Amino acid sequence: MANINWMGWLLMVLLVGNDKTVPVSCIYVDEPLLYDTFPPNFVWASATSAHQIEGAWNVDGKGPSIWDTYTSQPGIVAEGATGQTACNSYYFYQKDVDALKSLNVSHYRFSISWPRVLPDGIGRINQPGVDYYKNLIAALKVANIQPMVTLYHWDLPQALEDMGGWLNSSVADWFEEYARLCFTQFGDDVKIWVTLNEPWITAWQGYGLGVSAPAKYGPGTYTYQAGHNLILAHAKVYRLYESSFKPFQQGKVGIALNINWYSPATDLTADADAAERALQFMGGWFANPIFGSGDYPSIMKQKIGEKSALQGFNQSRLPEFTQEQKIFVQGSADFLGINHYTSFLTEDKPSDINDISYEADQDLYAYYDPSWYGSGSPWLKITPFGLRNLLIWLRDRFNDPEMIITENGCSDTAGNLDDMLRIYYFKHYINNVLKAIKNDGVKVTGYTAWSLMDNFEWRAGYNEKFGLFNVNFTSPELPRTAKASASYYAQIIRDNGFRTDQPCNNYPIS
Ligand SMILES: *[C@@H]1O[C@H](CO)[C@@H](O)[C@H](O)[C@H]1NC(C)=O
Ligand SMILES: *[C@@H]1O[C@H](CO)[C@@H](O)[C@H](O)[C@H]1NC(C)=O
Ligand SMILES: *[C@@H]1O[C@H](CO)[C@@H](O)[C@H](O)[C@H]1NC(C)=O
Ligand SMILES: *[C@@H]1O[C@H](CO)[C@@H](O)[C@H](O)[C@H]1NC(C)=O
């Protein structure tokens, strides 16, 4: 298959022809940058997740996760790839810490594998699993890097899925037990916690479309039931920390939501409404209960309620919070984590009423502008303006919350070390974060580059590479080698922002 980055290579060849003084690794058509610095003590991080890097899927007492089960079925993941070895970070974590150290990040965002510490999801503790994370945290401490820890990055213990997983309302109790163990074991050293990573993926792809573990299919029903239980489980863990750990551990707890930017396709009011609807269905679904009113966005309640009635359901397919639950959920986060990658154009478009799905409930059509640069992932088009717009939108809709960019990054398929496309991506997305802070007054306190290294990219296997570091997967030592983007990111961190006299920052301006 054609590598989409050839477009970038072609552009490079053309531009180098025009200006021989420009370092090859810097070339892409730029929008003007803001040359300024980030606030003091800004969190600079890079990230991974357990299933994508750890390997050691069945050793030292680890229980299977839903992703171990899912990827063991033939034909699910590209080329039959699995996370069984991945970057082997269970054994090679010191290589990860060394890579992080060379980036000079202040924080490392990683996730704990629930079935590694609780093989059955609840009950029996697996001490070697606990020790692994203690050792990782100790190695980070030596390198002067703070952990930012995600409790749930999609790898539910299979034992809990066998009891209904995120569709069983008991999951909030299971998640609380697991979180209590993590806060107890690691909380003295962890000051930033993320409860759930991208609950949207779990609800919509895992239990709605069935294209992600655990591959349950209920696009207009399970989607919302799983979403509801995810929100309540998040809130339960936040309240646990608030009452029992925060007073002496003094950390903060947030949630990481993946939210695209949606622009209206035209000047029509209907399209502007459609773009707002898309943002509410994707971001507001989780953010409005937690950071807004304590309840789902009114547009979701209205659309899903009306359609459910027309479709013959005796109640809305969107579950309702009780008054007590609204109070419990509202304000259950110290910061909003944002995983952001791409944007869409949006048109109003009524759906077929027989289509019972989260997608159809939105009555819109979203698509990519064909002029946007691509990446190594079909779903990821390069649209730096979208991040700034999203941050402003979130500030305005959800009471100006503290925000941390918990993921942002770009894939290619080559894994090449001279990764100009990724430099372009980071430069402009990070600069848009700076503009949002300096020009728009948005409260962003940290930025996390996804990902530290090439790794197991879920259903795409090892084909879509997001790393600042290349991993040679054919070598048993799985060496991590810095790409050009790693030096570029380290430079931004060193400068705490953008300087005109730094390589890659100042040309060419189109
Ligand atoms: C790492 O960053 C700190 C500021 O956060 C800076 O003082 C230091 O010089 C940097 N170290 C390197 C090796 O760039
Ligand atoms: C949900 O979990 C409870 C335990 O809390 C269990 O008794 C019940 O069987 C589970 N439901 C399903 C559908 O598996
Ligand atoms: C509504 O329908 C569900 C099944 O879709 C059923 O379990 C429930 O009992 C019904 N409720 C009422 C009030 O009829
Ligand atoms: C990756 O590792 C293999 C095995 O050690 C080696 O033969 C190969 O040259 C390496 N590839 C690169 C690009 O370094």
Side-chain angles (χ1 to χ4, degrees):
M1 200 180 79
N3 179 346
I4 208 150
N5 292 342
W6 287 116
M7 213 168 72
W9 284 95
L10 182 62
L11 188 63
M12 178 200 79
V13 169
L14 293 174
L15 288 172
V16 167
N18 288 340
D19 181 355
K20 302 268 190 248
T21 67
V22 175
V24 167
S25 61
C26 299
I27 304 217
Y28 260 93
V29 178
D30 287 85
E31 60 178 86
L33 296 178
L34 172 64
Y35 296 103
D36 205 338
T37 52
F38 285 83
N41 302 318
F42 194 75
V43 165
W44 288 109
S46 188
T48 61
S49 87
H51 187 75
Q52 293 178 277
I53 65 160
E54 283 178 4
W57 73 291
N58 63 350
V59 306
D60 284 356
K62 178 182 169 292
S65 78
I66 54 175
W67 268 94
D68 293 319
T69 307
Y70 184 58
T71 58
S72 69
Q73 304 158 63
I76 293 285
V77 177
E79 290 153 13
T82 70
Q84 293 182 358
T85 305
C87 306
N88 222 2
S89 291
Y90 186 69
Y91 299 105
F92 292 157
Y93 64 89
Q94 188 58 49
K95 295 183 197 231
D96 302 345
V97 175
D98 292 344
L100 289 157
K101 208 171 160 181
S102 75
L103 290 176
N104 200 17
V105 288
S106 62
H107 287 69
Y108 176 36
R109 178 176 175 234
F110 63 91
S111 78
I112 295 175
S113 160
W114 186 344
R116 195 180 291 289
V117 297
L118 289 169
D120 307 314
I122 48 178
R124 185 169 57 94
I125 296 170
N126 182 41
Q127 194 57 41
V130 172
D131 292 344
Y132 167 65
Y133 296 106
K134 292 220 162 180
N135 292 339
L136 170 60
I137 290 168
L140 289 169
K141 206 173 218 177
V142 170
N144 197 26
I145 296 166
Q146 311 303 315
M148 182 194 314
V149 179
T150 308
L151 290 171
Y152 184 71
H153 203 123
W154 307 354
D155 46 355
L156 190 75
Q158 182 61 43
L160 297 182
E161 180 55 33
D162 295 342
M163 293 198 290
W166 291 103
L167 294 177
N168 189 330
S169 61
S170 296
V171 71
D173 298 329
W174 306 334
F175 193 47
E176 184 189 36
E177 178 178 331
Y178 162 57
R180 185 189 300 277
L181 171 69
C182 294
F183 296 151
T184 304
Q185 292 290 336
F186 315 117
D188 287 343
D189 295 312
V190 179
K191 300 306 157 198
I192 306 181
W193 290 97
V194 174
T195 55
L196 303 172
N197 180 72
E198 303 189 358
W200 184 92
I201 293 277
T202 303
W204 170 228
Q205 299 196 348
Y207 292 88
L209 286 178
V211 296
S212 179
K216 291 277 160 22
Y217 187 77
T221 50
Y222 289 172
T223 303
Y224 298 121
Q225 291 163 27
H228 201 68
N229 290 331
L230 283 155
I231 292 167
L232 291 169
H234 154 82
K236 191 152 201 171
V237 163
Y238 179 83
R239 298 301 175 201
L240 167 71
Y241 189 81
E242 185 184 42
S243 63
S244 306
F245 295 90
K246 199 175 194 173
F248 59 98
Q249 291 185 346
Q250 308 275 317
K252 50 190 177 188
V253 177
I255 184 168
L257 304 181
N258 59 313
I259 316 177
N260 302 319
W261 173 249
Y262 293 87
S263 290
T266 71
D267 292 339
L268 295 173
T269 308
D271 289 346
D273 291 348
E276 174 70 19
R277 212 154 56 233
L279 287 161
Q280 290 290 357
F281 264 80
M282 189 170 202
W285 180 10
F286 300 97
N288 207 59
I290 297 168
F291 299 91
S293 68
D295 199 357
Y296 292 114
S298 48
I299 190 67
M300 284 187 77
K301 297 205 307 185
Q302 181 198 325
K303 283 275 179 197
I304 302 163
E306 284 170 8
K307 283 174 188 276
S308 299
L310 289 169
Q311 290 157 346
F313 288 86
N314 61 16
Q315 58 193 24
S316 177
R317 291 179 278 104
L318 182 67
E320 281 181 24
F321 292 112
T322 64
Q323 203 51 39
E324 205 174 69
Q325 286 172 333
K326 286 180 196 170
I327 293 165
F328 190 69
V329 168
Q330 189 180 31
S332 63
D334 301 314
F335 67 91
L336 170 54
I338 298 151
N339 294 4
H340 176 79
Y341 291 90
T342 198
S343 302
F344 287 87
L345 298 178
T346 324
E347 282 173 12
D348 180 52
K349 185 171 178 289
S351 310
D352 178 351
I353 193 64
N354 297 312
D355 184 349
I356 300 171
S357 72
Y358 163 81
E359 222 152 38
D361 286 339
Q362 302 179 49
D363 285 326
L364 57 87
Y365 172 59
Y367 60 98
Y368 301 109
D369 187 316
S371 77
W372 293 340
Y373 289 138
S375 71
S377 307
W379 54 270
L380 203 173
K381 308 299 175 191
I382 303 181
T383 56
F385 61 89
L387 181 49
R388 182 176 173 192
N389 288 338
L390 176 65
L391 291 170
I392 294 170
W393 185 85
L394 291 166
R395 174 197 70 189
D396 292 346
R397 296 297 183 284
F398 305 115
N399 303 310
D400 194 15
E402 178 186 340
M403 294 189 253
I404 296 176
I405 312 294
T406 35
E407 282 182 28
N408 177 238
C410 180
S411 64
D412 56 46
T413 53
N416 51 310
L417 300 182
D418 51 344
D419 55 340
M420 296 159 301
L421 184 79
R422 191 166 289 101
I423 289 180
Y424 173 85
Y425 187 100
F426 281 129
K427 176 182 358 182
H428 289 287
Y429 274 78
I430 295 173
N431 202 255
N432 271 280
V433 176
L434 184 62
K435 286 172 180 167
I437 294 171
K438 292 287 173 169
N439 299 350
D440 311 315
V442 173
K443 283 198 295 214
V444 181
T445 58
Y447 175 90
T448 309
W450 183 273
S451 173
L452 176 63
M453 58 192 160
D454 297 340
N455 58 42
F456 178 68
E457 179 54 23
W458 311 107
R459 276 192 72 165
Y462 296 92
N463 291 332
E464 296 177 20
K465 299 168 191 293
F466 281 82
L468 290 162
F469 284 75
N470 166 291
V471 176
N472 182 346
F473 288 102
T474 55
S475 162
E477 290 302 309
L478 297 160
R480 286 77 159 129
T481 308
K483 302 178 187 176
S485 58
S487 330
Y488 181 71
Y489 187 47
Q491 172 192 291
I492 289 182
I493 296 173
R494 210 155 43 237
D495 296 342
N496 198 35
F498 291 80
R499 285 167 38 177
T500 52
D501 60 344
Q502 291 290 13
C504 296
N505 272 359
N506 51 353
Y507 42 118
I509 308 281
S510 62

